Amino acid sequence: MSRSRGCWRTTVLGALAAAGALVVPGMLGMPGTAAHGAQAGPAPVGGDLWAYATIEPGREGIVQAGGYEGEPLDAGSALTLTAPARTRVTGVPFTGPGYRGSVTVGGASATYTFEGSSALREEPSAVWKGRTFPFRLSVPPDAEPGTRLPDCTLALTDAKGTVRQRGTCTVTVGLPAPVLSHPASGVPLDVLPEMSGTAYPGAQVTVRDALEEEICATTAAPDGAWSCAPAHALPPGMGRLQATATLNGVSATSEQIDIMVLEPAAPAPRDTVSAGGGGRLWTGRLQGWL
């Protein structure tokens, strides 16, 4: 059997942000478009700017910012994101025509500035309205999964530097995916195989089958190791397993593995030997022997 690369179980509360996420320039002008690495979700209703992302400890991810619904702004207007506490902005992935991205020294903030383009001058309402702008953000390795990072702000200013709209960011620390290392994919198993692997320390780990029925559950040790045994025998034949880790309201799943559970060996016939040693006495009622 081979390890499948796809996940059959969708992670609740957000996709994990991947380092080095790619943003396609043509996507920027599409309302509601989210870059890879940002947690998908509807734009908040209201007049404030918004930004959201879920990023694992020690990783980089894309924070999507948008939400401007005000009057058209001219060249020189700018959207600035101030990074949450203990994080830094490492890049502005979009460099499409009409916009210039910049990051301050040290990464405390980053800005997209509208410099003007013939296409957008013909449709000035599309300069900021209905668009999302990606910022690449780095989260420290010791950030606690499930926490929301404070002090992330947004501001959109006009060409004179006057703030036209403000907003806040929702940047949540994600949970690293657990590893299901045993049993190995493709290795024949008995009906009660031990499950083991690694996960974020203190996370609740649950192993489920392809029908999402729980096989076993445990808590990851301080060193990240975990193991558990099925409470009931697994059905013989082909199957699939996946581990889910949960901590502080966020969760992540391992890669799935395909397994083959062997039929249990048939028990040997039960018999006894007579006291005289002269023959076999079957422990059953034979026809005609009453």
Side-chain angles (χ1 to χ4, degrees):
M1 312 296 170
S2 61
R3 181 185 297 269
S4 171
R5 297 292 178 185
C7 283
W8 51 269
R9 185 171 186 269
T10 303
T11 305
V12 180
L13 296 175
L16 298 175
L22 174 67
V23 177
V24 180
M27 294 173 62
L28 184 64
M30 299 175 61
T33 299
H36 178 66
Q39 179 180 347
V45 176
D48 292 337
L49 300 174
W50 50 263
Y52 57 88
T54 300
I55 308 173
E56 297 175 17
R59 301 290 298 276
E60 291 184 346
I62 299 298
V63 179
Q64 290 283 9
Y68 181 68
E69 298 295 338
E71 295 297 322
L73 300 179
D74 296 327
S77 55
L79 173 65
T80 299
L81 178 143
T82 301
R86 301 183 62 240
T87 69
R88 61 188 181 91
V89 184
T90 59
V92 279
F94 179 74
T95 56
Y99 295 90
R100 172 176 54 85
S102 61
V103 180
T104 59
V105 176
S109 64
T111 300
Y112 282 101
T113 302
F114 174 58
E115 296 183 318
S117 71
S118 58
L120 291 174
R121 280 197 297 270
E122 294 173 1
E123 192 181 357
S125 63
V127 173
W128 300 105
K129 189 174 181 179
R131 296 181 172 223
T132 57
F133 294 81
F135 296 83
R136 190 166 63 243
L137 193 71
S138 175
V139 171
D142 60 347
E144 179 71 15
T147 58
R148 181 172 295 181
L149 302 176
D151 305 326
C152 183
T153 61
L154 295 164
L156 182 63
T157 58
D158 60 21
K160 297 180 180 180
T162 302
V163 176
R164 302 295 294 270
Q165 197 164 328
R166 296 183 184 275
T168 57
C169 311
T170 301
V171 180
T172 304
V173 182
L175 184 65
V179 175
L180 176 58
S181 56
H182 183 83
S185 183
V187 177
L189 307 173
D190 62 28
V191 296
L192 291 171
E194 182 184 22
M195 316 288 176
S196 63
T198 57
Y200 192 88
Q204 176 73 19
V205 180
T206 304
V207 179
R208 292 183 172 88
D209 61 18
L211 298 177
E212 298 199 19
E213 295 292 336
E214 181 176 316
I215 302 300
C216 64
T218 188
T219 300
D223 63 355
W226 63 267
S227 65
C228 59
H232 305 285
L234 301 182
M238 299 292 297
R240 188 174 297 168
L241 299 175
Q242 190 171 43
T244 299
T246 304
L247 182 69
N248 296 336
V250 291
S251 61
T253 57
S254 71
E255 290 187 343
Q256 62 181 351
I257 63 169
D258 295 320
I259 60 171
M260 167 64 81
V261 179
L262 300 177
E263 290 276 359
R270 296 173 56 193
D271 63 296
T272 59
V273 178
S274 63
R280 176 173 292 176
L281 178 64
W282 291 92
T283 59
R285 178 176 296 179
L286 299 180
Q287 186 175 0
W289 287 52
L290 298 177

